[in-house]
């Protein structure tokens, strides 16, 4: 069937090219509009912290949307009339904006804790209407108002931080593509020793990314899609589309030495097409597992990943061969040249040496992968907030100023929504409420508690907003960073309080939201892992008609992932190499990164396994000699796998220049995993294990084999 598709592609080559050219031009318009539809943040889940936020919004009109204005001076204190006048002048225009609900400052009823000990730095709290994404649209306008010649001013907090993340994501996308495309093109020119053969895979990558973003534009109109989908689609689109195109181009160039253009295309699609389809399927299954999560960010990244892999698959099976038909003359001029990568003879000799002492090769490599993964055992999941931004981002600078001058945790209190059976200030309720506040104040991690019972007279104006008809709010300030385990213990202790049956406490805030999100994500993670392993195993069983080979492939993939997890913790959590990668470690691993890495790496690593085993299978069916088949399979695919991995590593390294720590971690983790997989695992461990298993590699019960058609 694939052979006939190849023949049809040759005959309709101009039609296919014209159709894809039209799709590309149409897609450009929609692809450029995608950022305006993407959402900030990670999305809502049905957790206690989210329920608390909804209760506060409904009962007290306290929304997530808002920001902090930080004022500071080197030579004036907040008592200086010039300081006061300048601060009032800056904030006055904000009162006229319809999206502003209220502003709370030290001067109109705020607390002394809003100012630094040297009285040179102070912050104000601004509440806004609407969702965070709606509020983000107002950030440029607000920044125009926040100007001063006398004071240093920053805006920080939720809305400005998400705004800076959006801007940084779009800048990262442009930077990553600007770095990746020339690097990849240069590498492919070296591989093919010709500009045209090198340009074809790069052009296909650009087409895949553009068309995928256009489809994402329409998806985003019907469901929430994270801003990070922009980077993932571009990263995977360039890497995977170029890898698939590289396989087609390499196989076509080999076929041109033996037959005419039409026959070469037909045979290329007939052989390489099967490999690409199953490779794409495993990547789709890996990324598709993200759809099983409730978190909008993970779910939308799964949708984006499936879209770009599917598009890359279709492009490589239709547009790539059609273009090759047109430029085949340029391929003939280079088809006789030897590849400049490691020669086929080298791979045959290396594989033969490995298979002579397979146990001596396999055991040390397995031990090495285990050792590389050991740091993962000490993983500390978290979610860096402002620190995920570069140090020169305005919202990051404002956040750091408050932390350094006023106190850690000042902007991230534990927030409690207390709902009563009746008015919170009734005699019965106020006694129970006072007991809870007293317990909180006596907690060893608590710096202060703000509530309707706070005695601070300067707090009287603000605390009027803390109570409604049956609900009130408590803000608990910790001595520690919101990611610190002692802050997490505080949240858990509050949730474990013995409550009066007449009211309930719902805990939210940065620490509680992080804890709830991590618990919810990792509750779903085992299901996603099980789904991927089961479906990929089945797909490989159908392809190779073996019980052992799919099992070995899954185990080796898990070992590569474990090693990359260890590297991730070593670099990003423990802070090694942070100067090289230009980030500041917060002592945590961003909670979504291990999940995303699993979904990405499992599929990408399986690509190389399929590339290799498919070729070995062809030789085994012809010779029935396991050792010879492995050696010849490595000889044929070794250069291809090396080149494909090199391309993907170059793309990943390009995106490792990202200013956003999450994207940087994903890129670095992917680069490490692909490098390990294509070198140590596929080059040494796979042939060693296949030699040890010998004919058992191809075993499967005959009654099961009869249930599935031969592919």
């Amino acid at each position: 069937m694939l052979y006939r598709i190849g023949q049809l592609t040759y005959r309709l080559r101009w039609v296919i090219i014209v159709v894809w050219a039209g799709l590309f031009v149409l897609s450009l318009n929609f692809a450029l509009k995608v950022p305006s539809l993407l959402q900030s943040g990670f999305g809502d889940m049905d957790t206690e912290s989210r329920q608390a936020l909804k209760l506060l919004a409904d009962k007290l009109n306290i929304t997530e949307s808002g920001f902090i204005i930080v004022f500071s001076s080197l030579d004036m204190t907040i008592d200086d009339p010039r300081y006061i006048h300048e601060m009032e002048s800056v904030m006055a225009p904000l009162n006229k904006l319809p999206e502003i609900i209220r502003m709370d400052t030290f001067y109109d009823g705020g607390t002394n804790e809003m100012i630094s000990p040297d009285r040179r730095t102070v912050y104000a709290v601004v509440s806004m209407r609407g969702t965070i994404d709606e509020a983000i649209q107002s950030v440029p306008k607000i920044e125009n108002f926040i100007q001063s010649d006398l004071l240093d001013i920053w805006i920080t907090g939720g809305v400005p931080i998400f705004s800076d993340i959006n801007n940084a994501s779009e800048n990262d996308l442009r930077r990553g593509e600007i770095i990746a495309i020339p690097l990849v093109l240069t590498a492919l020119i070296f591989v093919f020793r010709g500009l045209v053969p090198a340009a074809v895979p790069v052009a296909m990558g650009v087409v895949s990314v553009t068309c995928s973003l256009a489809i994402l534009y329409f998806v985003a109109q019907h469901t929430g899609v994270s801003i990070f989908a922009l980077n993932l689609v571009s990263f995977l689109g360039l890497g995977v589309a170029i890898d698939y195109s590289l396989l087609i181009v390499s196989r076509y160039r080999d076929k041109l030495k033996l037959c005419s253009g039409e026959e070469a295309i037909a045979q290329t699609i007939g052989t390489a097409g099967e490999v690409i389809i199953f490779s794409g399927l495993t990547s789709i299954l890996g990324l598709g597992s993200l759809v099983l999560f409730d978190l909008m960010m993970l779910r939308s990244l799964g949708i984006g990943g499936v879209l770009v892999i599917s598009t890359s698959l279709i492009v490589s099976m239709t547009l790539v061969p059609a273009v090759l038909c047109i430029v085949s003359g340029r391929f003939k001029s280079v088809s006789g040249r030897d590849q400049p990568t490691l020669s086929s003879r080298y791979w045959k000799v290396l594989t033969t040496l490995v298979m002579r002492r397979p146990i001596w090769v396999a055991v040390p490599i397995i031990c090495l992968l285990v050792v590389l993964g050991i740091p993962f055992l000490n993983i500390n999941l978290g979610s860096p907030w402002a620190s995920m931004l570069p140090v020169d981002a305005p919202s990051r600078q404002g956040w750091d100023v408050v932390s350094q001058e006023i106190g850690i945790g000042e902007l991230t209190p534990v927030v409690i929504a207390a709902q009563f059976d009746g008015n919170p200030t009734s005699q019965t309720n106020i006694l129970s409420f006072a007991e809870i506040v007293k317990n909180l104040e006596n907690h060893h991690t608590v710096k202060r508690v703000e509530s309707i019972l706070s005695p601070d007279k300067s707090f009287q104006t603000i605390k009027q907003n803390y109570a409604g008809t049956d609900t009130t709010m408590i803000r608990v300030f910790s001595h520690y960073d919101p990611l610190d385990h002692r802050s997490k213990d505080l949240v858990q202790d509050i949730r474990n309080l013995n409550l009066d049956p007449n009211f309930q406490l719902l805990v939210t805030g940065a620490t509680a939201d992080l804890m709830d999100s991590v618990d919810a994500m990792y509750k779903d993670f085992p299901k996603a892992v099980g789904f991927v392993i089961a479906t990929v195993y089945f797909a490989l069983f159908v392809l190779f008609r073996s019980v052992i080979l799919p099992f070995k492939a899954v185990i080796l993939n898990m070992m590569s992932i474990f090693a990359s997890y260890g590297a991730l913790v070593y670099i990003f959590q423990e802070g090694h190499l942070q100067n090289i990668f230009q980030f500041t470690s917060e002592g945590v691993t961003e909670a979504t990164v291990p999940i995303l890495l699993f979904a990405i790496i499992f599929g990408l690593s399986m690509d190389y396994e399929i590339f290799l085993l498919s070729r070995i299978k062809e030789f085994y069916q012809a010779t029935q000699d396991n050792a010879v088949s492995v050696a010849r399979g490595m000889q044929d695919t070794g250069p291809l796998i090396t080149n494909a991995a090199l391309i993907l590593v170059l793309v990943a390294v390009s995106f490792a220049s990202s200013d956003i720590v999450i994207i940087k971690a994903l890129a670095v983790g992917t680069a490490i995993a692909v490098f390990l997989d294509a070198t140590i695992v596929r080059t040494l461990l796979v042939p060693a294990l296949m030699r040890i298993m010998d004919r058992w590699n191809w075993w499967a019960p005959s009654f099961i084999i009869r249930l599935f058609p031969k592919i």
Side-chain angles (χ1 to χ4, degrees):
M1 179 180 176
L2 291 176
Y3 178 87
R4 294 193 188 96
I5 291 175
Q7 289 179 317
L8 189 62
T9 300
Y10 182 86
R11 294 163 190 169
L12 299 177
R13 54 191 180 277
W14 282 111
V15 174
I16 293 172
I17 290 173
V18 169
V19 170
W20 272 109
L23 288 174
F24 177 73
V25 172
L26 289 174
S27 297
L28 273 174
N29 179 50
F30 297 111
L32 294 173
K33 296 178 180 178
V34 168
S36 63
L37 295 179
L38 302 184
Q39 296 183 12
S40 305
F42 296 86
D44 287 341
M45 291 187 290
D46 187 20
T47 61
E48 179 179 330
S49 57
R50 294 281 112 186
Q51 293 169 8
L53 288 172
K54 186 176 186 304
L55 180 63
L56 292 173
D58 292 342
K59 299 292 185 177
L60 303 180
N61 198 29
I62 296 174
T63 67
E64 283 187 275
S65 302
F67 59 94
I68 306 295
I69 309 177
V70 184
F71 300 87
S72 187
S73 174
L74 294 176
D75 54 6
M76 291 187 292
T77 69
I78 64 167
D79 306 301
D80 191 309
R82 293 175 299 165
Y83 197 121
I84 298 172
H85 179 267
E86 187 69 10
M87 188 171 168
E88 290 175 345
S89 298
V90 168
M91 298 191 66
L94 296 180
N95 267 324
K96 300 176 182 179
L97 297 178
E99 52 265 53
I100 302 299
I101 298 176
R102 67 173 179 269
M103 296 188 293
D104 300 320
T105 72
F106 167 75
Y107 299 109
D108 56 12
T111 69
N112 289 323
E113 282 75 14
M114 298 174 77
I115 60 176
S116 62
D118 64 4
R119 304 183 71 80
R120 296 182 187 276
T121 302
V122 65
Y123 71 85
V125 181
V126 182
S127 300
M128 302 179 69
R129 292 184 175 85
T131 65
I132 287 179
D133 287 293
E134 291 170 344
I136 285 174
Q137 305 303 316
S138 302
V139 169
K141 178 169 56 177
I142 292 170
E143 288 176 337
N144 289 333
F145 286 117
I146 309 298
Q147 304 289 335
S148 173
D149 295 328
L150 294 179
L151 301 176
D152 294 321
I153 304 177
W154 303 268
I155 60 171
T156 188
V159 171
I161 288 174
F162 280 126
S163 177
D164 281 346
I165 289 174
N166 289 357
N167 294 333
S169 295
E170 293 183 43
N171 292 335
D172 289 345
L173 177 64
R174 288 190 289 270
R175 185 193 306 115
E177 291 175 341
I178 289 171
I179 296 173
I181 291 175
L183 274 179
V184 170
L185 183 60
T186 302
L188 288 174
I189 290 174
F190 178 75
V191 169
F192 290 118
R193 292 193 175 181
L195 179 59
V196 173
V200 170
V202 174
M204 298 307 104
V206 173
V207 170
S208 294
V209 171
T210 304
C211 293
S212 298
L213 289 176
I215 299 172
L216 198 64
Y217 171 84
F218 294 101
V219 172
Q221 296 186 36
H222 298 91
T223 186
V225 177
S226 168
I227 186 69
F228 296 121
L230 206 62
N231 305 78
L232 183 73
V233 167
S234 183
F235 166 46
L236 286 180
L238 285 176
V240 173
I242 291 174
D243 267 9
Y244 291 168
S245 300
L246 177 63
L247 176 60
I248 294 288
V249 172
S250 297
R251 190 65 62 89
Y252 176 68
R253 198 176 68 161
D254 292 340
K255 296 296 182 182
L256 268 182
K257 300 174 185 177
L258 306 174
C259 51
S260 64
E262 180 176 356
E263 183 63 19
I265 285 292
Q267 290 188 22
T268 296
I269 299 301
T271 54
E274 177 185 296
V275 176
I276 289 175
I277 288 173
F278 274 89
S279 296
L281 177 61
T282 57
S283 292
I284 288 171
L285 290 172
L287 289 160
S289 67
L290 297 175
V291 180
L292 300 176
F293 290 85
D294 288 334
L295 192 66
M296 178 273 292
M297 176 200 176
L298 294 178
R299 189 171 61 250
S300 63
L301 291 183
I303 293 171
V306 169
L307 281 176
V308 75
I309 298 295
S310 302
T311 304
S312 299
L313 183 61
I314 296 171
V315 166
S316 63
M317 293 291 288
T318 57
L319 182 58
V320 173
V323 171
L324 293 182
C325 295
I326 304 301
V327 298
S328 59
R330 301 302 299 270
F331 278 77
K332 290 177 181 177
S333 64
V334 298
S335 62
R337 301 176 187 175
D338 293 330
Q339 291 195 29
T341 55
L342 296 174
S343 67
S344 297
R345 177 177 172 79
Y346 167 85
W347 290 100
K348 183 177 181 180
V349 171
L350 176 63
T351 305
T352 302
L353 291 174
V354 168
M355 290 193 293
R356 285 178 184 172
R357 298 287 187 273
I359 295 178
W360 288 96
V361 173
V363 172
I365 291 176
I366 291 173
C367 292
L368 173 63
L369 292 174
V370 171
V371 169
L372 289 175
I374 286 176
F376 174 64
L377 302 178
N378 297 318
I379 192 170
N380 177 28
L381 295 172
S383 184
W385 186 214
S387 59
M388 77 168 62
L389 288 165
V391 292
D392 59 349
S395 59
R396 165 77 183 270
Q397 292 176 340
W399 190 275
D400 290 344
V401 167
V402 173
S403 298
Q404 294 164 10
E405 300 297 329
I406 299 179
I408 295 175
E410 181 63 28
L411 300 182
T412 53
V414 176
V415 179
I416 305 172
Q419 188 171 31
F420 294 82
D421 183 11
N423 194 299
T425 58
S426 68
Q427 185 174 1
T428 303
N429 289 334
I430 204 70
L431 291 175
S432 300
F433 184 70
E435 184 178 353
I436 289 176
V437 171
K438 182 179 179 181
N439 287 335
L440 293 173
E441 290 173 336
N442 291 333
H443 197 281
H444 64 280
T445 66
V446 172
K447 180 167 56 176
R448 76 177 189 277
V449 177
E450 291 180 357
S451 72
I452 55 175
L453 299 180
S454 297
D456 191 344
K457 292 183 179 180
S458 66
F459 184 58
Q460 297 305 310
T461 303
I462 292 180
K463 78 179 184 182
Q464 293 174 6
N465 302 314
Y466 274 46
T469 55
D470 64 351
T471 303
T472 186
M473 179 175 69
I474 310 171
R475 299 210 306 168
V476 183
F477 293 81
S478 170
H479 287 289
Y480 306 103
D481 184 272
L483 299 179
D484 192 284
H485 70 91
R486 288 163 292 194
S487 294
K488 296 178 183 179
D489 291 342
L490 171 61
V491 170
Q492 196 58 54
D493 289 344
I494 295 173
R495 287 175 169 172
N496 291 336
L497 286 174
N498 293 321
L499 299 180
D500 187 303
N502 292 324
F503 64 89
Q504 66 168 343
L505 300 182
L506 296 177
V507 184
T508 187
T511 305
D513 195 28
L514 165 66
M515 293 169 62
D516 291 347
S517 297
V518 170
D519 288 344
M521 284 189 291
Y522 283 85
K523 180 181 178 182
D524 292 333
F525 194 27
K527 293 186 293 185
V529 171
F531 168 80
V532 172
I533 290 176
T535 53
V536 168
Y537 181 93
F538 178 76
L540 294 183
F541 173 80
V542 172
L543 176 62
F544 297 121
R545 302 172 71 80
S546 164
V547 172
I548 303 299
L549 287 181
F551 178 77
K552 176 184 66 65
V554 168
I555 295 299
L556 293 184
N557 262 23
M558 296 300 289
M559 293 184 69
S560 295
I561 291 172
F562 181 66
S564 67
Y565 278 178
L568 190 75
V569 172
Y570 180 81
I571 295 172
F572 289 93
Q573 179 176 307
E574 297 178 1
H576 302 284
L577 308 180
Q578 60 182 334
N579 291 332
I580 294 176
F581 290 108
Q582 298 183 334
F583 72 97
T584 302
S585 173
E586 294 292 319
V588 298
T589 298
E590 208 288 323
T592 60
V593 170
I595 296 173
L596 290 170
L597 267 183
F598 173 82
I600 294 170
I601 293 172
F602 201 94
L604 294 181
S605 296
M606 199 61 75
D607 284 354
Y608 304 130
E609 183 80 1
I610 292 174
F611 287 0
L612 173 60
L613 293 183
S614 295
R615 199 65 173 144
I616 293 175
K617 175 189 172 185
E618 292 178 22
F619 289 120
Y620 185 76
Q621 289 175 337
T623 66
Q624 295 298 303
D625 188 314
N626 182 73
V628 170
S629 301
V630 172
R632 293 186 64 183
M634 286 294 299
Q635 181 180 355
D636 275 16
T637 62
L640 174 63
I641 291 176
T642 302
N643 294 334
L646 171 64
I647 298 307
L648 199 52
V649 168
L650 287 176
V651 173
V653 168
S654 301
F655 280 84
S657 64
S658 171
D659 287 331
I660 304 294
V661 174
I662 295 177
I663 304 300
K664 190 187 295 287
L666 284 175
V668 172
T670 301
I672 291 172
V674 170
F675 175 79
L676 289 174
D677 196 82
T679 54
I680 295 175
V681 175
R682 305 303 162 199
T683 303
L684 301 174
L685 189 54
V686 168
L689 292 178
M690 292 200 72
R691 182 68 184 93
I692 292 170
M693 299 302 297
D694 200 34
R695 297 182 68 88
W696 285 100
N697 286 308
W698 311 98
W699 178 82
S702 57
F703 72 92
I704 296 180
I705 291 294
R706 287 194 293 269
L707 296 177
F708 300 97
K710 187 174 182 180
I711 295 180

